[in-house]
Structures are given as C-alpha cells and as structure tokens.
C-alpha cells in the first residue's frame, strides 16, 4: 500500500489460502476476518496517500465493526463509493422489541459516512434474508424473517441514509449481488428485484411487505432447485470477477517475459 501511490480502488478480503495453523501460531485466527477502527486508522498512518481513495469495498468473509465506519468517514474524505454489501455482521443486531430503547451500533457511524463524505454518491448495502431472533415484551423467544440491513439499522435511519445519497444524485443499492444487471434480464431476475424493492419500501403497508417477503422466499427456493449453478457461482461478486481477470493478466505477463528471455538467449552476443 505504501508503494501504490496512484491507488484509487481498494478491495479488502480475507486470504482464505492462508492455513489456519499459520494464523494460530500468531494468535490471529480469531481476528483475521475483522476490520475495526484501528485497522482503518493504521492504513492511513502507513499510507497517507490513501486519503485519495475513491472506492472501498469488502468481501463476504470480512466483518466490519461499527466504529470502523467512523474511521472511514474521518480518514477517507475522497470516497465516492462504499460497498459494505457483505460486511455488516448480525452480531451487532439490537435485541428486544421496543423500538424506543433499541440501540443500533451501525446506525450513527453509517449516518456519519453519508453526511460527512461529501463526494460519496454510491452506497452498496446488500440484501439477504435472515432469521431474526428476539424476545418479546412477554419474555417469549420469537423468530421472524427479515432483510439483514433492516435488522441492523432502524427504518427511520435507513430512509435518512437513502435520501442523503439520492439528494446529491447518487444511488443506494440493496440487492443480493454487486454485479450490474445484464442488458436483458431473465424474468426471474426482474421478479426478484421487484420483490426486494417491495420488501425494503417503508411506504408500503406491512401486510404487503410480509407477502412480498414470503413470495421472495418461495422464488429463492424455486431458483435454487431449478438452477444448475452452484451457490458460489450465483453469488460471485464483481470483484471476484476482477480478481479472476487479474490472474489471467498475470499469466499473460509471465508468458510474455518468458518469451523475451528465450529470445535474449537465442540472440547472438
């Protein structure tokens, strides 16, 4: 990072190729996937030129701590796109059924990001249905299907975040993939996207949103049964595609250098 003076996009992902026993020797295995405030601050300390970073995104094996978002809003003033589709963790979901007393750890840091980062015009929040477990006012354990982002951020704050980005001409994506849609979408893709928008629309009646949630689950199950692709293929992110392309470029470069070496060996002194 110190040498990458012109870096404008940074994708942070856990290196799953490192054996656990190597991490264990350094007592890092418990924390290898965590990005916290100190990590972001150290990035800027080691490479101050990263304050010009325009795109920051995190892979699905990363857990982004709430206070890391505070550091992002303070340390990366030039950020134009923040992709946290896979990085927000359910371990920070508030407990209880009382909306007045609920505390959402991600809420204020994310609001700080969208209000303090003047150039931010795209925020990727992702979309995933999860089992949200809570204790109701009578002390009974409950479980309900909800979108992950609505478990982690209150509806009022979420709407404020959307409006702040949209008011400056930006976009907020809340989809299950960061890949752009194809020019000609399949009918199932259109239905999935429409149901996602209905589930996340705060202006719709709760009964309508719950029905959309049920239909979304049914459609997801149907697509899993009928699809020949593996889950890894279905959820491959655009950055994974970029990494694959980078590997191919490296292979081409190695072949080119090998050919140059052979030509030098064949050339007369």
């Amino acid at each position: 990072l110190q040498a990458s003076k012109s870096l404008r996009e940074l994708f942070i992902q856990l290196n799953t190729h490192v054996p656990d026993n190597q991490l264990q020797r350094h007592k890092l295995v418990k924390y290898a996937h965590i990005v916290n405030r100190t990590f972001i601050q150290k990035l800027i300390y080691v490479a101050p030129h990263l304050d010009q970073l325009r795109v920051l995104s995190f892979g699905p094996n990363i857990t982004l701590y709430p206070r890391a978002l505070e550091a992002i809003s303070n340390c990366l003033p030039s950020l134009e796109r923040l992709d946290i589709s896979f990085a927000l963790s359910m371990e920070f979901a508030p407990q209880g059924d009382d909306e007045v007393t609920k505390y959402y750890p991600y809420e204020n840091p994310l609001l700080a990001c969208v209000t303090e980062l003047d150039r931010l015009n795209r925020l990727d929040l992702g979309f995933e249905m999860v089992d949200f477990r809570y204790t109701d006012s009578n002390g009974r354990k409950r479980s309900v299907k909800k979108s992950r982002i609505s478990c982690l951020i209150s509806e009022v704050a979420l709407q404020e975040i959307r409006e702040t980005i949209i008011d400056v001409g930006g976009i907020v994506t809340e989809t299950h993939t960061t890949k752009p849609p194809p020019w000609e979408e399949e009918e199932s893709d259109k239905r999935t996207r429409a149901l996602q928008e209905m589930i996340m629309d705060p202006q719709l009646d709760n009964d309508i949103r719950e029905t959309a949630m049920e239909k979304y689950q049914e459609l997801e199950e149907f697509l899993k049964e009928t699809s020949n692709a593996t889950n890894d293929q279905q959820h491959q992110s655009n950055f994974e595609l970029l990494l694959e392309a980078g590997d191919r470029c490296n292979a081409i470069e190695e072949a080119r250098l090998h050919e140059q070496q052979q030509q030098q060996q064949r050339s007369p002194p």
Side-chain angles (χ1 to χ4, degrees), residues 47-240:
H49 54 273
L50 289 183
D51 65 355
Q52 297 300 311
L53 205 65
R54 294 170 58 186
V55 179
L56 177 62
S57 54
F58 301 91
N61 293 322
I62 292 295
T63 295
L64 187 68
Y65 275 21
R67 298 196 69 181
L69 287 167
E70 290 181 8
I72 289 170
S73 66
N74 294 327
C75 300
L76 303 173
S78 301
L79 212 59
E80 297 177 13
R81 177 181 178 184
L82 178 61
D83 183 352
I84 52 176
S85 302
F86 308 108
L88 303 187
S89 173
M90 284 297 292
E91 67 181 276
F92 295 104
Q95 300 299 314
D97 196 38
D98 187 354
E99 288 296 332
V100 177
T101 59
K102 267 187 183 179
Y103 170 63
Y104 294 83
Y106 280 117
E107 195 166 282
N108 288 333
L110 192 53
L111 280 166
C113 275
V114 300
T115 55
E116 295 177 20
L117 295 174
D118 296 334
R119 301 183 186 180
L120 191 69
N121 57 37
R122 173 160 177 167
L123 177 64
D124 299 292
L125 295 175
F127 185 90
E128 181 186 359
M129 298 298 292
V130 296
D131 287 313
F132 182 64
R133 294 177 175 82
Y134 66 97
T135 304
D136 66 15
S137 56
N138 296 320
R140 289 177 294 187
K141 300 290 184 181
R142 300 283 191 181
S143 177
V144 64
K145 282 281 187 184
K146 296 181 70 174
S147 68
R148 182 164 52 91
I149 195 67
S150 64
C151 295
L152 299 172
I153 300 171
S154 72
E155 191 56 57
V156 173
L158 195 56
Q159 190 59 26
E160 184 178 345
I161 289 166
R162 294 186 189 112
E163 290 174 355
T164 302
I165 297 288
I166 293 169
D167 286 348
V168 296
I171 59 171
V172 178
T173 69
E174 297 171 59
T175 59
H176 69 286
T177 177
T178 53
K179 287 197 297 184
W183 289 108
E184 295 182 2
E185 284 186 288
E186 297 286 340
E187 191 63 32
S188 58
D189 293 332
K190 292 179 182 178
R191 290 179 61 194
T192 299
R193 193 153 52 84
L195 289 169
Q196 288 174 352
E197 291 172 359
M198 291 174 68
I199 292 168
M200 300 303 296
D201 189 347
Q203 297 182 352
L204 288 180
D205 184 78
N206 283 337
D207 290 339
I208 296 175
R209 294 170 70 182
E210 287 177 7
T211 302
M213 199 176 297
E214 292 174 3
K215 295 294 182 185
Y216 176 84
Q217 289 176 250
E218 291 174 5
L219 183 58
E220 285 282 280
E221 291 172 2
F222 172 76
L223 292 175
K224 284 179 182 178
E225 291 174 0
T226 57
S227 175
N228 293 324
T230 64
N231 287 335
D232 288 340
Q233 290 172 323
Q234 289 175 344
H235 296 285
Q236 189 177 37
S237 71
N238 56 342
F239 284 99
E240 287 171 326

